[in-house]
Amino acid sequence: MKTSLRHLFKHYGNVLNVTAHNNLRMRGQAFVSFESKEIAAKAVKEVKGFPLYGKPMQLGFAKTRSDAVVEKFDSQQMPQHLAERKQRKKATRRNNPIALRMKAKKQAAQAADGTTLATAPKRPVVQMPDEYLPPNRVLFLQNLPAETITKEALQDLFGQYPNLVDIRTVPTKKDIAFVEYADEDSATKAKDALHNYKIDGEVKIKITYARK
């Protein structure tokens, strides 16, 4: 459609832009931008009723200037132009007759059922304590001595138990770490043996299964 419109209207003057819409609400509509009102007026007068794809064309002037016109003749106002268009688009969506009818229909159905549009308050999300998390092959370490603990020390400690895969520390939070084993059984053995172990002789480390 855009190519056909550009070819048709170029005989009246320089066509700055052609915009055609494919959405259901605006299907069959298009906007043709010219350099002047005089050229546009002549095109409207002479092309109105011209058959395009078997249907007579209905022409009229747009309510606002197009992006192409603003960009060419008043580019400094482009940001304001786009902002105003965005606001008009929001208002159009809010006042869309189809959307309003659907909302009214929904309200009527809820009223018939004795229900209201008010939504129930959200229940607070209750998170399972770390101690009750189901077993898996990754352990979560807490209460590590942040000033003295090293990845090598953890490697030596947890490497006593078979099938150690990796130890991951958190640079921004040095009092926690993750220890991964090849299987759940190996992780469980290490957890049972080292939970509450005093890694520095004072503070007990807390070991739980990591959250998935």
Side-chain angles (χ1 to χ4, degrees):
M1 177 186 279
K2 291 173 65 174
T3 303
S4 300
L5 291 173
R6 186 177 289 275
H7 181 74
L8 174 63
F9 285 101
K10 71 179 183 180
H11 301 289
Y12 295 92
N14 183 28
V15 176
L16 299 179
N17 187 51
V18 177
T19 302
H21 296 276
N22 295 320
N23 61 67
L24 183 62
R25 186 173 65 88
M26 300 189 68
R27 184 176 297 172
Q29 298 185 36
F31 296 88
V32 181
S33 302
F34 290 102
E35 286 187 332
S36 69
K37 293 181 180 179
E38 291 74 22
I39 296 175
K42 184 178 180 181
V44 168
K45 181 179 179 180
E46 296 186 12
V47 181
K48 192 171 185 178
F50 181 86
L52 183 67
Y53 300 122
K55 294 183 179 181
M57 296 174 61
Q58 300 297 322
L59 275 67
F61 291 100
K63 295 180 180 179
T64 59
R65 294 189 298 173
S66 70
D67 293 354
V69 171
V70 176
E71 182 67 28
K72 183 175 178 63
F73 298 105
D74 202 4
S75 59
Q76 293 182 348
Q77 296 298 318
M78 194 64 179
Q80 181 179 347
H81 168 77
L82 294 175
E84 290 175 351
R85 188 182 67 183
K86 187 176 181 180
Q87 290 299 321
R88 288 194 300 271
K89 194 171 184 179
K90 286 183 179 179
T92 300
R93 287 177 177 174
R94 284 197 303 268
N95 300 321
N96 184 281
I98 297 176
L100 292 175
R101 283 198 299 269
M102 290 180 65
K103 183 178 179 180
K105 187 175 180 181
K106 184 177 179 180
Q107 290 175 332
Q110 290 175 328
D113 293 339
T115 59
T116 64
L117 288 176
T119 57
K122 293 183 179 179
R123 295 182 179 179
V125 178
V126 179
Q127 193 173 47
M128 182 183 295
D130 293 344
E131 292 80 0
Y132 300 103
L133 291 172
N136 64 82
R137 60 193 185 93
V138 181
L139 302 176
F140 178 43
L141 279 54
Q142 303 177 69
N143 297 338
L144 296 172
E147 300 298 327
T148 59
I149 193 65
T150 64
K151 186 173 182 179
E152 290 73 19
L154 293 174
Q155 184 81 33
D156 292 340
L157 182 62
F158 286 89
Q160 302 176 73
Y161 302 91
N163 302 319
L164 177 63
V165 174
D166 188 27
I167 293 179
R168 298 188 293 276
T169 57
V170 182
T172 57
K173 194 167 178 56
K174 296 183 178 181
D175 61 338
I176 65 172
F178 295 89
V179 178
E180 181 179 355
Y181 283 89
D183 54 72
E184 183 181 299
D185 289 340
S186 299
T188 300
K189 289 177 182 178
K191 173 183 177 296
D192 292 343
L194 296 175
H195 178 58
N196 286 332
Y197 176 79
K198 293 183 180 180
I199 197 168
D200 61 352
E202 295 181 4
V203 181
K204 295 179 180 179
I205 62 172
K206 178 181 178 181
I207 305 177
T208 60
Y209 296 107
R211 295 182 185 274
K212 291 185 178 181

mmCIF file with all atom_site columns, all heavy atoms in Angstrom, residues 165-180:
data_model
loop_
_atom_site.group_PDB
_atom_site.id
_atom_site.type_symbol
_atom_site.label_atom_id
_atom_site.label_alt_id
_atom_site.label_comp_id
_atom_site.label_asym_id
_atom_site.label_entity_id
_atom_site.label_seq_id
_atom_site.pdbx_PDB_ins_code
_atom_site.Cartn_x
_atom_site.Cartn_y
_atom_site.Cartn_z
_atom_site.occupancy
_atom_site.B_iso_or_equiv
_atom_site.pdbx_formal_charge
_atom_site.auth_seq_id
_atom_site.auth_comp_id
_atom_site.auth_asym_id
_atom_site.auth_atom_id
_atom_site.pdbx_PDB_model_num
ATOM 1   N N   . VAL A 1 165 ? 33.880 -30.921 44.023 1.00 0.00 ? 165 VAL A N   1
ATOM 2   C CA  . VAL A 1 165 ? 33.911 -30.402 42.646 1.00 0.00 ? 165 VAL A CA  1
ATOM 3   C C   . VAL A 1 165 ? 34.426 -28.970 42.601 1.00 0.00 ? 165 VAL A C   1
ATOM 4   O O   . VAL A 1 165 ? 35.316 -28.630 41.824 1.00 0.00 ? 165 VAL A O   1
ATOM 5   C CB  . VAL A 1 165 ? 32.513 -30.466 41.989 1.00 0.00 ? 165 VAL A CB  1
ATOM 6   C CG1 . VAL A 1 165 ? 32.529 -29.793 40.605 1.00 0.00 ? 165 VAL A CG1 1
ATOM 7   C CG2 . VAL A 1 165 ? 32.052 -31.905 41.869 1.00 0.00 ? 165 VAL A CG2 1
ATOM 8   N N   . ASP A 1 166 ? 33.872 -28.102 43.445 1.00 0.00 ? 166 ASP A N   1
ATOM 9   C CA  . ASP A 1 166 ? 34.237 -26.682 43.354 1.00 0.00 ? 166 ASP A CA  1
ATOM 10  C C   . ASP A 1 166 ? 33.892 -25.962 44.644 1.00 0.00 ? 166 ASP A C   1
ATOM 11  O O   . ASP A 1 166 ? 32.983 -26.365 45.381 1.00 0.00 ? 166 ASP A O   1
ATOM 12  C CB  . ASP A 1 166 ? 33.489 -26.030 42.182 1.00 0.00 ? 166 ASP A CB  1
ATOM 13  C CG  . ASP A 1 166 ? 33.945 -24.618 41.904 1.00 0.00 ? 166 ASP A CG  1
ATOM 14  O OD1 . ASP A 1 166 ? 35.112 -24.302 42.211 1.00 0.00 ? 166 ASP A OD1 1
ATOM 15  O OD2 . ASP A 1 166 ? 33.139 -23.820 41.386 1.00 0.00 ? 166 ASP A OD2 1
ATOM 16  N N   . ILE A 1 167 ? 34.618 -24.882 44.901 1.00 0.00 ? 167 ILE A N   1
ATOM 17  C CA  . ILE A 1 167 ? 34.333 -23.985 46.020 1.00 0.00 ? 167 ILE A CA  1
ATOM 18  C C   . ILE A 1 167 ? 34.217 -22.576 45.455 1.00 0.00 ? 167 ILE A C   1
ATOM 19  O O   . ILE A 1 167 ? 35.125 -22.086 44.781 1.00 0.00 ? 167 ILE A O   1
ATOM 20  C CB  . ILE A 1 167 ? 35.434 -24.038 47.092 1.00 0.00 ? 167 ILE A CB  1
ATOM 21  C CG1 . ILE A 1 167 ? 35.442 -25.413 47.766 1.00 0.00 ? 167 ILE A CG1 1
ATOM 22  C CG2 . ILE A 1 167 ? 35.233 -22.937 48.134 1.00 0.00 ? 167 ILE A CG2 1
ATOM 23  C CD1 . ILE A 1 167 ? 36.510 -25.579 48.810 1.00 0.00 ? 167 ILE A CD1 1
ATOM 24  N N   . ARG A 1 168 ? 33.070 -21.934 45.716 1.00 0.00 ? 168 ARG A N   1
ATOM 25  C CA  . ARG A 1 168 ? 32.822 -20.601 45.171 1.00 0.00 ? 168 ARG A CA  1
ATOM 26  C C   . ARG A 1 168 ? 32.661 -19.606 46.316 1.00 0.00 ? 168 ARG A C   1
ATOM 27  O O   . ARG A 1 168 ? 31.751 -19.744 47.145 1.00 0.00 ? 168 ARG A O   1
ATOM 28  C CB  . ARG A 1 168 ? 31.571 -20.607 44.285 1.00 0.00 ? 168 ARG A CB  1
ATOM 29  C CG  . ARG A 1 168 ? 31.684 -21.523 43.078 1.00 0.00 ? 168 ARG A CG  1
ATOM 30  C CD  . ARG A 1 168 ? 30.513 -21.363 42.135 1.00 0.00 ? 168 ARG A CD  1
ATOM 31  N NE  . ARG A 1 168 ? 29.265 -21.827 42.718 1.00 0.00 ? 168 ARG A NE  1
ATOM 32  C CZ  . ARG A 1 168 ? 28.850 -23.096 42.719 1.00 0.00 ? 168 ARG A CZ  1
ATOM 33  N NH1 . ARG A 1 168 ? 29.637 -24.052 42.202 1.00 0.00 ? 168 ARG A NH1 1
ATOM 34  N NH2 . ARG A 1 168 ? 27.684 -23.436 43.244 1.00 0.00 ? 168 ARG A NH2 1
ATOM 35  N N   . THR A 1 169 ? 33.523 -18.632 46.348 1.00 0.00 ? 169 THR A N   1
ATOM 36  C CA  . THR A 1 169 ? 33.429 -17.572 47.352 1.00 0.00 ? 169 THR A CA  1
ATOM 37  C C   . THR A 1 169 ? 32.764 -16.347 46.733 1.00 0.00 ? 169 THR A C   1
ATOM 38  O O   . THR A 1 169 ? 32.676 -16.219 45.505 1.00 0.00 ? 169 THR A O   1
ATOM 39  C CB  . THR A 1 169 ? 34.815 -17.191 47.879 1.00 0.00 ? 169 THR A CB  1
ATOM 40  O OG1 . THR A 1 169 ? 35.646 -16.797 46.777 1.00 0.00 ? 169 THR A OG1 1
ATOM 41  C CG2 . THR A 1 169 ? 35.469 -18.372 48.595 1.00 0.00 ? 169 THR A CG2 1
ATOM 42  N N   . VAL A 1 170 ? 32.311 -15.441 47.566 1.00 0.00 ? 170 VAL A N   1
ATOM 43  C CA  . VAL A 1 170 ? 31.643 -14.214 47.109 1.00 0.00 ? 170 VAL A CA  1
ATOM 44  C C   . VAL A 1 170 ? 32.518 -13.033 47.500 1.00 0.00 ? 170 VAL A C   1
ATOM 45  O O   . VAL A 1 170 ? 32.625 -12.703 48.685 1.00 0.00 ? 170 VAL A O   1
ATOM 46  C CB  . VAL A 1 170 ? 30.243 -14.076 47.738 1.00 0.00 ? 170 VAL A CB  1
ATOM 47  C CG1 . VAL A 1 170 ? 29.542 -12.822 47.207 1.00 0.00 ? 170 VAL A CG1 1
ATOM 48  C CG2 . VAL A 1 170 ? 29.412 -15.322 47.475 1.00 0.00 ? 170 VAL A CG2 1
ATOM 49  N N   . PRO A 1 171 ? 33.183 -12.385 46.527 1.00 0.00 ? 171 PRO A N   1
ATOM 50  C CA  . PRO A 1 171 ? 34.135 -11.302 46.836 1.00 0.00 ? 171 PRO A CA  1
ATOM 51  C C   . PRO A 1 171 ? 33.548 -10.179 47.686 1.00 0.00 ? 171 PRO A C   1
ATOM 52  O O   . PRO A 1 171 ? 34.227 -9.609  48.529 1.00 0.00 ? 171 PRO A O   1
ATOM 53  C CB  . PRO A 1 171 ? 34.551 -10.799 45.451 1.00 0.00 ? 171 PRO A CB  1
ATOM 54  C CG  . PRO A 1 171 ? 34.331 -11.968 44.547 1.00 0.00 ? 171 PRO A CG  1
ATOM 55  C CD  . PRO A 1 171 ? 33.129 -12.668 45.086 1.00 0.00 ? 171 PRO A CD  1
ATOM 56  N N   . THR A 1 172 ? 32.280 -9.859  47.472 1.00 0.00 ? 172 THR A N   1
ATOM 57  C CA  . THR A 1 172 ? 31.673 -8.742  48.198 1.00 0.00 ? 172 THR A CA  1
ATOM 58  C C   . THR A 1 172 ? 31.098 -9.153  49.556 1.00 0.00 ? 172 THR A C   1
ATOM 59  O O   . THR A 1 172 ? 30.673 -8.303  50.329 1.00 0.00 ? 172 THR A O   1
ATOM 60  C CB  . THR A 1 172 ? 30.551 -8.116  47.355 1.00 0.00 ? 172 THR A CB  1
ATOM 61  O OG1 . THR A 1 172 ? 29.586 -9.125  47.038 1.00 0.00 ? 172 THR A OG1 1
ATOM 62  C CG2 . THR A 1 172 ? 31.114 -7.524  46.070 1.00 0.00 ? 172 THR A CG2 1
ATOM 63  N N   . LYS A 1 173 ? 31.071 -10.445 49.828 1.00 0.00 ? 173 LYS A N   1
ATOM 64  C CA  . LYS A 1 173 ? 30.552 -10.935 51.111 1.00 0.00 ? 173 LYS A CA  1
ATOM 65  C C   . LYS A 1 173 ? 31.380 -12.157 51.507 1.00 0.00 ? 173 LYS A C   1
ATOM 66  O O   . LYS A 1 173 ? 31.014 -13.300 51.228 1.00 0.00 ? 173 LYS A O   1
ATOM 67  C CB  . LYS A 1 173 ? 29.071 -11.285 50.988 1.00 0.00 ? 173 LYS A CB  1
ATOM 68  C CG  . LYS A 1 173 ? 28.380 -11.466 52.332 1.00 0.00 ? 173 LYS A CG  1
ATOM 69  C CD  . LYS A 1 173 ? 26.881 -11.502 52.148 1.00 0.00 ? 173 LYS A CD  1
ATOM 70  C CE  . LYS A 1 173 ? 26.149 -11.740 53.470 1.00 0.00 ? 173 LYS A CE  1
ATOM 71  N NZ  . LYS A 1 173 ? 26.482 -10.745 54.501 1.00 0.00 ? 173 LYS A NZ  1
ATOM 72  N N   . LYS A 1 174 ? 32.473 -11.898 52.166 1.00 0.00 ? 174 LYS A N   1
ATOM 73  C CA  . LYS A 1 174 ? 33.472 -12.935 52.423 1.00 0.00 ? 174 LYS A CA  1
ATOM 74  C C   . LYS A 1 174 ? 33.092 -13.911 53.531 1.00 0.00 ? 174 LYS A C   1
ATOM 75  O O   . LYS A 1 174 ? 33.809 -14.889 53.757 1.00 0.00 ? 174 LYS A O   1
ATOM 76  C CB  . LYS A 1 174 ? 34.815 -12.276 52.755 1.00 0.00 ? 174 LYS A CB  1
ATOM 77  C CG  . LYS A 1 174 ? 35.383 -11.477 51.589 1.00 0.00 ? 174 LYS A CG  1
ATOM 78  C CD  . LYS A 1 174 ? 36.740 -10.890 51.926 1.00 0.00 ? 174 LYS A CD  1
ATOM 79  C CE  . LYS A 1 174 ? 37.302 -10.131 50.730 1.00 0.00 ? 174 LYS A CE  1
ATOM 80  N NZ  . LYS A 1 174 ? 38.636 -9.562  51.022 1.00 0.00 ? 174 LYS A NZ  1
ATOM 81  N N   . ASP A 1 175 ? 31.990 -13.663 54.243 1.00 0.00 ? 175 ASP A N   1
ATOM 82  C CA  . ASP A 1 175 ? 31.616 -14.578 55.318 1.00 0.00 ? 175 ASP A CA  1
ATOM 83  C C   . ASP A 1 175 ? 30.689 -15.701 54.844 1.00 0.00 ? 175 ASP A C   1
ATOM 84  O O   . ASP A 1 175 ? 30.164 -16.460 55.650 1.00 0.00 ? 175 ASP A O   1
ATOM 85  C CB  . ASP A 1 175 ? 30.955 -13.815 56.470 1.00 0.00 ? 175 ASP A CB  1
ATOM 86  C CG  . ASP A 1 175 ? 29.690 -13.103 56.035 1.00 0.00 ? 175 ASP A CG  1
ATOM 87  O OD1 . ASP A 1 175 ? 29.537 -12.837 54.820 1.00 0.00 ? 175 ASP A OD1 1
ATOM 88  O OD2 . ASP A 1 175 ? 28.852 -12.803 56.910 1.00 0.00 ? 175 ASP A OD2 1
ATOM 89  N N   . ILE A 1 176 ? 30.476 -15.813 53.523 1.00 0.00 ? 176 ILE A N   1
ATOM 90  C CA  . ILE A 1 176 ? 29.686 -16.916 52.982 1.00 0.00 ? 176 ILE A CA  1
ATOM 91  C C   . ILE A 1 176 ? 30.434 -17.558 51.823 1.00 0.00 ? 176 ILE A C   1
ATOM 92  O O   . ILE A 1 176 ? 31.349 -16.955 51.242 1.00 0.00 ? 176 ILE A O   1
ATOM 93  C CB  . ILE A 1 176 ? 28.287 -16.459 52.512 1.00 0.00 ? 176 ILE A CB  1
ATOM 94  C CG1 . ILE A 1 176 ? 28.430 -15.498 51.318 1.00 0.00 ? 176 ILE A CG1 1
ATOM 95  C CG2 . ILE A 1 176 ? 27.500 -15.823 53.643 1.00 0.00 ? 176 ILE A CG2 1
ATOM 96  C CD1 . ILE A 1 176 ? 27.105 -15.146 50.668 1.00 0.00 ? 176 ILE A CD1 1
ATOM 97  N N   . ALA A 1 177 ? 30.063 -18.798 51.495 1.00 0.00 ? 177 ALA A N   1
ATOM 98  C CA  . ALA A 1 177 ? 30.675 -19.503 50.369 1.00 0.00 ? 177 ALA A CA  1
ATOM 99  C C   . ALA A 1 177 ? 29.771 -20.666 49.975 1.00 0.00 ? 177 ALA A C   1
ATOM 100 O O   . ALA A 1 177 ? 28.864 -21.057 50.730 1.00 0.00 ? 177 ALA A O   1
ATOM 101 C CB  . ALA A 1 177 ? 32.069 -20.001 50.735 1.00 0.00 ? 177 ALA A CB  1
ATOM 102 N N   . PHE A 1 178 ? 30.019 -21.200 48.790 1.00 0.00 ? 178 PHE A N   1
ATOM 103 C CA  . PHE A 1 178 ? 29.279 -22.362 48.301 1.00 0.00 ? 178 PHE A CA  1
ATOM 104 C C   . PHE A 1 178 ? 30.271 -23.480 48.014 1.00 0.00 ? 178 PHE A C   1
ATOM 105 O O   . PHE A 1 178 ? 31.318 -23.249 47.392 1.00 0.00 ? 178 PHE A O   1
ATOM 106 C CB  . PHE A 1 178 ? 28.494 -22.016 47.035 1.00 0.00 ? 178 PHE A CB  1
ATOM 107 C CG  . PHE A 1 178 ? 27.407 -21.003 47.249 1.00 0.00 ? 178 PHE A CG  1
ATOM 108 C CD1 . PHE A 1 178 ? 27.673 -19.644 47.141 1.00 0.00 ? 178 PHE A CD1 1
ATOM 109 C CD2 . PHE A 1 178 ? 26.119 -21.399 47.581 1.00 0.00 ? 178 PHE A CD2 1
ATOM 110 C CE1 . PHE A 1 178 ? 26.681 -18.704 47.353 1.00 0.00 ? 178 PHE A CE1 1
ATOM 111 C CE2 . PHE A 1 178 ? 25.121 -20.457 47.797 1.00 0.00 ? 178 PHE A CE2 1
ATOM 112 C CZ  . PHE A 1 178 ? 25.402 -19.109 47.683 1.00 0.00 ? 178 PHE A CZ  1
ATOM 113 N N   . VAL A 1 179 ? 29.927 -24.688 48.442 1.00 0.00 ? 179 VAL A N   1
ATOM 114 C CA  . VAL A 1 179 ? 30.788 -25.848 48.227 1.00 0.00 ? 179 VAL A CA  1
ATOM 115 C C   . VAL A 1 179 ? 29.983 -26.883 47.444 1.00 0.00 ? 179 VAL A C   1
ATOM 116 O O   . VAL A 1 179 ? 28.903 -27.296 47.875 1.00 0.00 ? 179 VAL A O   1
ATOM 117 C CB  . VAL A 1 179 ? 31.260 -26.454 49.558 1.00 0.00 ? 179 VAL A CB  1
ATOM 118 C CG1 . VAL A 1 179 ? 32.121 -27.692 49.306 1.00 0.00 ? 179 VAL A CG1 1
ATOM 119 C CG2 . VAL A 1 179 ? 32.042 -25.421 50.363 1.00 0.00 ? 179 VAL A CG2 1
ATOM 120 N N   . GLU A 1 180 ? 30.501 -27.287 46.302 1.00 0.00 ? 180 GLU A N   1
ATOM 121 C CA  . GLU A 1 180 ? 29.773 -28.217 45.441 1.00 0.00 ? 180 GLU A CA  1
ATOM 122 C C   . GLU A 1 180 ? 30.475 -29.570 45.399 1.00 0.00 ? 180 GLU A C   1
ATOM 123 O O   . GLU A 1 180 ? 31.684 -29.656 45.213 1.00 0.00 ? 180 GLU A O   1
ATOM 124 C CB  . GLU A 1 180 ? 29.661 -27.658 44.021 1.00 0.00 ? 180 GLU A CB  1
ATOM 125 C CG  . GLU A 1 180 ? 28.898 -28.551 43.061 1.00 0.00 ? 180 GLU A CG  1
ATOM 126 C CD  . GLU A 1 180 ? 28.780 -27.973 41.663 1.00 0.00 ? 180 GLU A CD  1
ATOM 127 O OE1 . GLU A 1 180 ? 29.214 -26.819 41.462 1.00 0.00 ? 180 GLU A OE1 1
ATOM 128 O OE2 . GLU A 1 180 ? 28.272 -28.682 40.782 1.00 0.00 ? 180 GLU A OE2 1
#
